[in-house]
Amino acid sequence: MVTYQYRCASCGPFDLALPMGGARPEESCAQCDGTARRVYTAPSITRPGSPLTRALDAQEASGHEPQVVKSAPPAPRPAAPTDPRHALLPRP
Ligand SMILES: [Zn+2]
């Protein structure tokens, strides 16, 4: 099924799920039973398995399937002094 967008002159835009290639230039509006013209939009093309698709899927899944954490994350290590003269400074 593919989602096609139609626009009714009085009710506004709405979506219809139809088989691929089954969209007609005009459909009847679901609310007022008037004539709604098809709106042509850019196709939503995604490559399965691409990094973007995996990131979007993980983001969407985290909303209803959050990952369970079993331990606290490791404490961050203190940053090493970059200048050896810092070691000579008095410590509190
Ligand atoms: Zn309508």
Side-chain angles (χ1 to χ4, degrees), residues 60-85:
E60 182 181 343
S62 68
H64 51 83
E65 297 173 8
Q67 294 184 350
V68 177
V69 177
K70 296 180 179 171
S71 64
R77 295 187 336 190
T82 55
D83 191 337
R85 292 176 293 178

Side-chain angles (χ1 to χ4, degrees), residues 8-12 14 28-36:
C8 175
S10 55
C11 304
F14 62 93
S28 61
C29 176
Q31 296 180 4
C32 71
D33 207 28
T35 302

Side-chain angles (χ1 to χ4, degrees), residues 5-61:
Q5 188 175 19
Y6 288 87
R7 177 180 297 276
C8 175
S10 55
C11 304
F14 62 93
D15 293 336
L16 278 182
L18 300 168
M20 183 176 286
R24 294 181 292 195
E26 293 182 345
E27 289 281 346
S28 61
C29 176
Q31 296 180 4
C32 71
D33 207 28
T35 302
R37 296 186 60 88
R38 182 177 171 192
V39 178
Y40 292 90
T41 59
S44 174
I45 298 174
T46 58
R47 291 186 309 161
S50 71
L52 175 61
T53 304
R54 282 186 273 133
L56 292 174
D57 289 346
Q59 179 188 17
E60 182 181 343

